[in-house]
Each structure stands twice: as C-alpha cells, then as structure tokens.
Amino acid sequence: MAKVLIINTPLFKEKMAQHDEDSLPPIGLGYIATNLKMLGHDVRLIDAVANNNTVSELLDMIGEFHPDVVAVNIFTTNYNLTKELIESIKDPSIKVIVGGLSTRTLYKDIFKWETKNHIDVVFGDGELITGELISGTESELPKESTAFRRFFYVNCESIYFVKDISTVPLDRSFFINEPLINHSGFKEVSIVTNRGCKNNCTFCAAARSRNSDLPIREMTEESVARDIEDIRKRYKDVTHIRVLDDLFLGNSQSVDKAARIFSHFNFKWRAMAHIQTFNGISYDKIKALYDSGCRELFIGVESGSPKILKKIHKTHDIAIIKNSLGSIMDAGIGLKIYFVYGFPQEKREDFEQTYQLAIDLKNLAIKKGVALRTSVFQFRPYHGTEIYDELVSANKDFDAKAIHSNNELSSSAERAQFNFTSGNYSAEDECIVREFINKTMSLGEEN
C-alpha cells in the first residue's frame, strides 16, 4: 500500500499575519481521502488554508512523511503557488496527482511544469480513479499524454464517474477545522448534497453549458438525512449545519425536500440558493423552511445593473430580485447577498445601480426585521469560464495566471483570502471599483 499526502493547496506563499478567517473543509478531497483509506493506503490530508501553511512548510511535511504520492487541488487563484510547490519537490520518485475544475483548461500548462516527477492531471470525480492511478491499475487511457504527464477526463462516459453520489462515504476525521464557529458564534458543520449546477453564469466554470457531459447528481432524501444523523452523533455540541452546494434549494420541489429533511432534526441551518427558486413560491413553503430551522440563505445577486446581469446570464429583472428576496425575509429568514464589481467594460452607472439595489435590500431587511449581510468582490476571470474565453478572444496574450493578492482591497475590506486580482476589467479606475466594494460591504456591517 502507498503513503499518500493530500494537500488542500494554500492561497498565500507566506503566512497571513492575521489568520482569523473561516475556511470551509475541503469536502471533495475528503471523499478521495476516505476512499484511499478504505483501500488500505496510509493517507494524510493537509489543509494548508485552514492551517495557514506556507509552501516551505508543506515541502518540509513532504520531506518528513516521505509519501509515494502527493495529490493536490488547483485553482486560478493559486496556480503559481501550486506550480511552485510541485516544482520544488526534491524527490523525483514521488508521483503527483493534480485535480480541480480548472484542470480541463490548465492541464497543458501543468504538462510544462519543470519537474521530473510523474504528473497525472484529473478533471472530474476523483474518488474512484485516484486509487487506481496510485496502484497503476487504471482501466482507461488518458485523454492526452506526453512523457511523464497524463490527463484523465472523468465525465459520464468514464467508468470512474460516480453515478450515485448517495453511496460515497466521507470520513470527517480528516477535517481539522470541523466544527467551525460561524459568524453568529455557533458550532457548525458543512455538508454537500449535489454535484453540478443547472445555471449558466458566464463567470463560473461549473456552468451547465461548460459541463454538458457531467450530469447533475443529487443525493437521495434518505442519504442526506443519514449524513445529518451522523453529524448529530459525532458532534454532540454542534447546533448548526451549512449546506454548501448550489442546488440544495434549486427549485420548489427541493424547497419542500429540504423542509422535510431538517424537520426531523433540531439543527439550525443555512444554505446556498438561487433567486429564481423563490420567484412566485408561496409564503407557506418558505415558512416551512424557517420552521425546519433555516435561518440564513446565501444568494448571488452579483449586480443591480440589468445590462450587466443579462451579460452574465443572471436574473436581470430587478423586480423579481426584490420580490423574491422580500418573500424570504417575510418568513423571517436572513440573507447573505453576494455582489461583484468590475465586470468587463462595466461603468460607474452600473456600479451605482448595484449599490442602490444593495441599499434597497438593506432597507427592506430593516423594515422586515431580519438580518442582511453583504459579501462583495472585485471581478476576476477564472479558467474554463465563458467570460475568460471572451477575454482571450479579445486579447490573445491574455493570461489570468498572473494573479496576486489585492492588498489594497484587503486593507479596507479585509477577507484577504477572497481578495485577488489579475487586473481591472471595468471601464473605470480601480480606485472607483474599490470605493463601491467598500461602500457595499459596509451595508452588511451595520446590521
């Protein structure tokens, strides 16, 4: 059996001076680690984000553990750090596995990394294929390969595609940061109940148009309840649950399902949701969510400019946005609203519309007596997204891998782990973008 070191890769090369931000457990890596452990491998999962680990510390851990395999995830925001980490491994016999949603676009760049280590790049489900890559018993040919480099594409036609995600086990002992203390001061554990997304946002690599060969998969009602029951037994003092996937509340039927599931438990819970889920939905259905313990929903509004919303394939009818969010507030459920400033060629008038919408929603929350938080970002393009490809078409030399921490924004808006930049794509000066980000963030802070 092999010694395997799985790393949730860091966002910063050096330690953050004030490392007090919440980091969610890397559940996807946890599924992989669990399966490898069940196969008998000696597995360790290092969460470099939660641990605030530097690249040099990770290299020391690799040297101390002497793994046969190092498996890492990779994102647009930390491409250069992950590249540096792998290229700095001293033992050329260590096999490297790189996974993540961006690998479909980045694998050719990963093939060029300057290291003698063998690298397998995997796009798609990693649970089943990783064990066979480690043992050298893989039953499928790579989609593309060169010397010491292979790219495996796990879509619905692959034997490694997980058709029923209800059956995938998860050993939560791999997560060092569970339970978390959430923003309200309660102990909270996170779950994932779906894979894939039905929406088509231009800034997201999980957009349906980009993943037509990856069917949306949903855990059964019974399996979600089973996972919640496992959490209840494992963490006696946990009172809150956070659902991380986008589709737990994807339509009216899923709203009913969520209310049924949580009505059997005594947890308070919060989840991601989509504006259109609540468009025209009855008060009774939303109130049933509240009665089952739902106390906050995370919703990506993104912009208040109909022009920008239409461009990024989001709900662009502002009346629908206000009415849907107002219906949620009527039931007593708080909101965390996500906004983005600085989309390509976005103008000040668009910024003003977004800020005004944020003010209107804030005033509505005050009127209805519920909490409203804002989380605001500067736009940055991610590999594998429609908007990224548009930027490449407009400028053949465009490369979002030249990304770095946005220290100016972090100094005012904090949340350093979310503030990165690869340039200003709006039609306005970057200082204006930061001004609106800070103003909109402050609306949530006044709650």
Side-chain angles (χ1 to χ4, degrees), residues 142-161:
K143 185 173 183 179
E144 193 167 327
S145 64
T146 62
F148 303 108
R149 304 284 186 270
R150 299 186 298 178
F151 174 55
F152 291 88
Y153 192 84
V154 182
N155 63 3
C156 59
E157 297 179 356
S158 170
I159 63 172
Y160 300 117
F161 183 75

Side-chain angles (χ1 to χ4, degrees), residues 192-353:
V192 172
T193 70
N194 291 269
R195 294 189 191 183
C197 184
K198 67 177 182 179
N199 302 309
N200 204 30
C201 304
T202 64
F203 54 84
C204 180
R208 186 88 309 256
S209 62
R210 299 270 151 163
N211 298 277
S212 58
D213 56 350
L214 297 176
I216 294 170
R217 289 155 289 169
E218 179 180 355
M219 289 177 65
T220 64
E221 190 168 327
E222 294 75 19
S223 60
V224 176
R226 176 202 65 207
D227 284 358
I228 296 173
E229 176 63 17
D230 288 343
I231 290 170
R232 188 188 67 81
K233 291 178 178 178
R234 180 178 179 84
Y235 304 105
K236 300 297 184 182
D237 55 349
V238 165
T239 57
H240 287 60
I241 288 179
R242 178 174 175 179
V243 187
L244 299 180
D245 51 88
D246 293 324
L247 296 184
F248 184 63
L249 298 174
N251 53 37
S252 178
Q253 291 72 31
S254 63
V255 168
D256 294 338
K257 172 183 172 182
R260 284 195 304 271
I261 291 171
F262 276 101
S263 65
H264 297 294
F265 298 93
N266 194 31
F267 286 110
K268 298 295 186 292
W269 62 277
R270 52 193 187 139
M272 296 289 295
H274 193 277
I275 287 285
Q276 288 292 355
T277 297
F278 298 93
N279 182 21
I281 196 170
S282 71
Y283 170 81
D284 289 343
K285 284 180 178 285
I286 306 176
K287 185 62 165 56
L289 287 182
Y290 179 89
D291 292 341
S292 74
C294 181
R295 291 297 181 267
E296 184 178 50
L297 295 178
F298 300 77
I299 296 182
V301 171
E302 320 307 357
S303 176
S305 164
K307 180 185 72 177
I308 295 298
L309 288 168
K310 197 169 186 178
K311 281 186 176 180
I312 62 176
H313 302 164
K314 295 285 289 189
T315 302
H316 56 273
D317 188 326
I318 303 302
I320 288 178
I321 294 174
K322 290 182 177 180
N323 291 337
S324 297
L325 298 184
S327 297
I328 296 169
M329 296 179 197
D330 284 337
I333 298 174
L335 292 167
K336 183 175 183 179
I337 307 296
Y338 296 93
F339 294 101
V340 179
Y341 287 99
F343 286 105
Q345 301 308 307
E346 188 175 9
K347 298 179 180 180
R348 187 182 185 108
E349 63 192 55
D350 302 305
F351 299 166
E352 294 283 4
Q353 288 176 303

Side-chain angles (χ1 to χ4, degrees), residues 425-437:
Y425 302 90
S426 76
E428 306 295 342
D429 190 87
E430 187 160 2
C431 67
I432 297 176
V433 179
R434 289 200 301 272
E435 173 194 340
F436 278 90
I437 290 175

